[in-house]
């Protein structure tokens, strides 16, 4: 199988999934590559009322301690999850900077959460440089790598709306929120939150629901392979250089990862090499099945 491919996630706490196509609106989505073949919408807040954003203790990018009490400062808070290697995340930052001004007029705020890639000194410096170059001055946080909600995310960027009581409102919005139509719908949702009459508006995600995508179960199989030996795979992903993440490669996904292993083999134990090779053999078979489905 020959396809154009980029690696969607190079993170110390997340599962890597295959990504097709050079131009996308979401990084790391399970089986969609940013196409709009279906939709998952953020709908009512009835469900959200019983789901709190999990508590946390972390730091903002200025080194200040933060926790879930920050939600009480605003009528609503948009929490935008991103990581250093996600081009869709980075590209929407200037639009988010402007959108944050509109949010503040309504007593709301946008905050970014860097998922994993700013967890060490080098990654943090890179994250700060990205924000600076994109002119993004809105508040950004770093949460612990094992935070309960962060670990649930399979696509980037993902944005969730949290009310002042810490309740998650509706479903996550998967994909960029830089276009005016989505922003207008989000502002309407914030008005509904402030009115206290329940949320009836919705925002359509870029990612199709799993039931609409026959390849989704196969990508989930890949996710499980990575999840079973997270530390070993994370070690491999950390070896992949940024330019390799951003460049399309005319190689199958498993072959690309195999090359990364060969290039840094001296840094791995025999058991780690065995684990990766066994996983890559399974991934290669899964990718062949995905290719067949995509032909239909």
């Amino acid at each position: 199988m020959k396809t154009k491919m980029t690696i969607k996630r190079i993170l110390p706490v997340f599962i890597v999934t295959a990504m097709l196509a050079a131009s996308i609106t979401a990084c790391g989505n399970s089986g969609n590559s940013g196409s709009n073949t279906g939709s998952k919408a953020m709908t009512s807040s009835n469900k959200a009322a019983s789901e709190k954003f999990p508590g946390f203790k972390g730091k903002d990018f200025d080194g200040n301690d933060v926790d879930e009490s920050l939600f009480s400062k605003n009528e609503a808070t948009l929490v935008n999850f991103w990581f250093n290697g996600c081009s869709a995340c980075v590209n929407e930052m200037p639009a988010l900077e402007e959108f944050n001004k509109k949010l503040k007029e309504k007593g709301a705020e946008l905050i970014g959460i860097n998922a994993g890639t700013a967890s060490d000194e080098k990654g943090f410096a890179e994250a700060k440089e990205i924000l600076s170059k994109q002119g993004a001055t809105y508040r950004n946080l770093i949460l612990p790598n094992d935070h309960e909600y962060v670990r649930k995310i399979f696509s980037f960027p993902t944005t969730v709306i949290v009310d002042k009581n810490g309740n998650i409102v509706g479903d996550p919005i998967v994909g960029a929120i830089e276009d005016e139509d989505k922003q207008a719908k989000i502002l309407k949702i914030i008005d509904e939150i402030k009115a206290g009459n329940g949320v009836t508006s919705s925002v359509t995600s870029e990612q199709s629901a799993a039931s609409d995508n026959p390849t989704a179960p196969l990508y989930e199989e890949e996710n499980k392979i990575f999840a079973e030996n997270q530390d070993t795979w994370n070690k491999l992903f950390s070896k992949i250089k940024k330019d390799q993440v951003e460049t399309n490669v005319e190689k199958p996904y498993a072959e690309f990862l195999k090359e990364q292993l060969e290039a840094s083999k001296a840094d791995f134990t025999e058991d780690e090499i065995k684990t990766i090779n066994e996983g890559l053999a399974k991934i290669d078979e899964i990718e062949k099945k995905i290719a067949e489905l995509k032909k239909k």
Side-chain angles (χ1 to χ4, degrees):
M1 180 183 76
K2 296 286 185 181
T3 96
K4 282 193 174 183
M5 179 216 66
T6 61
I7 303 303
K8 295 195 287 188
R9 295 192 195 176
I10 309 300
L11 294 177
V13 293
F14 294 100
I15 303 162
V16 172
T17 54
M19 181 181 92
L20 306 177
S23 177
I24 62 168
T25 54
C27 301
N29 96 40
S30 298
N32 185 338
S33 307
S35 65
N36 199 16
T37 56
S39 67
K40 182 176 182 180
M42 181 174 66
T43 52
S44 98
S45 61
N46 294 334
K47 170 186 168 185
S50 62
E51 184 180 359
K52 289 270 190 181
F53 190 93
F56 62 88
K57 291 186 183 298
K59 297 276 188 182
D60 67 18
F61 271 44
D62 293 322
N64 302 308
D65 292 329
V66 292
D67 59 29
E68 65 276 10
S69 67
L70 63 83
F71 295 128
S72 67
K73 312 296 183 188
N74 302 297
E75 291 290 336
T77 303
L78 265 69
V79 183
N80 178 260
F81 294 92
W82 65 285
F83 69 91
N84 293 2
C86 172
S87 59
C89 305
V90 174
N91 290 341
E92 73 168 344
M93 285 178 176
L96 295 185
E97 175 72 14
E98 292 304 310
F99 187 41
N100 192 37
K101 297 175 184 177
K102 296 179 182 178
L103 291 170
K104 287 187 173 183
E105 291 174 0
K106 291 183 175 289
E109 182 184 8
L110 182 139
I111 63 171
I113 292 183
N114 183 282
T117 45
S119 59
D120 59 31
E121 187 175 338
K122 181 179 179 182
F124 179 62
E126 183 179 271
K128 290 193 76 170
E129 182 181 6
I130 289 169
L131 292 168
S132 177
K133 285 183 176 179
Q134 296 301 102
T137 64
Y138 53 86
R139 196 175 192 186
N140 268 268
L141 316 180
I142 304 171
L143 298 192
N145 288 347
D146 60 353
H147 183 261
E148 178 183 344
Y149 197 86
V150 178
R151 291 175 68 89
K152 292 180 181 180
I153 298 175
F154 286 85
S155 298
F156 292 86
T158 285
T159 303
V160 297
I161 299 178
V162 182
D163 69 18
K164 63 183 177 182
N165 297 313
N167 297 318
I168 298 172
V169 179
D171 294 326
I173 308 167
V174 180
I177 58 170
E178 57 189 323
D179 68 83
E180 292 182 1
D181 181 60
K182 282 185 181 178
Q183 291 184 4
K185 290 176 180 177
I186 290 170
L187 292 174
K188 185 177 180 181
I189 289 168
I190 291 169
D191 286 337
E192 292 174 345
I193 291 172
K194 291 169 67 175
N197 298 322
V199 175
T200 59
S201 302
S202 65
V203 180
T204 302
S205 294
E206 298 293 341
Q207 180 179 3
S208 66
S211 59
D212 295 331
N213 192 337
T215 64
L218 293 171
Y219 283 105
E220 286 303 311
E221 285 186 39
E222 287 189 352
N223 289 345
K224 289 176 183 177
I225 292 170
F226 294 122
E228 286 170 2
N229 295 281
Q230 246 186 51
D231 291 343
T232 299
W233 288 104
N234 290 337
K235 185 175 177 180
L236 175 62
F237 304 142
S238 70
K239 304 293 181 183
I240 302 174
K241 296 179 181 178
K242 185 179 177 183
D243 59 350
Q244 293 171 315
V245 177
E246 295 174 344
T247 304
N248 292 333
V249 182
E250 293 284 350
K251 288 192 178 91
Y253 184 42
E255 184 179 333
F256 176 87
L257 292 178
K258 178 74 171 178
E259 287 186 356
Q260 308 313 304
L261 175 62
E262 289 298 321
S264 54
K265 208 167 184 178
D267 297 327
F268 292 85
T269 66
E270 289 185 9
D271 285 344
E272 288 171 334
I273 291 171
K274 181 181 178 182
T275 295
I276 292 172
N277 282 329
E278 288 176 351
L280 290 178
K282 294 176 184 177
I283 290 168
D284 189 47
E285 291 303 312
I286 292 170
E287 288 291 320
K288 289 175 182 176
K289 293 177 183 177
I290 290 171
E292 288 301 314
L293 284 173
K294 287 178 181 276
K295 289 178 182 178
K296 295 178 180 180

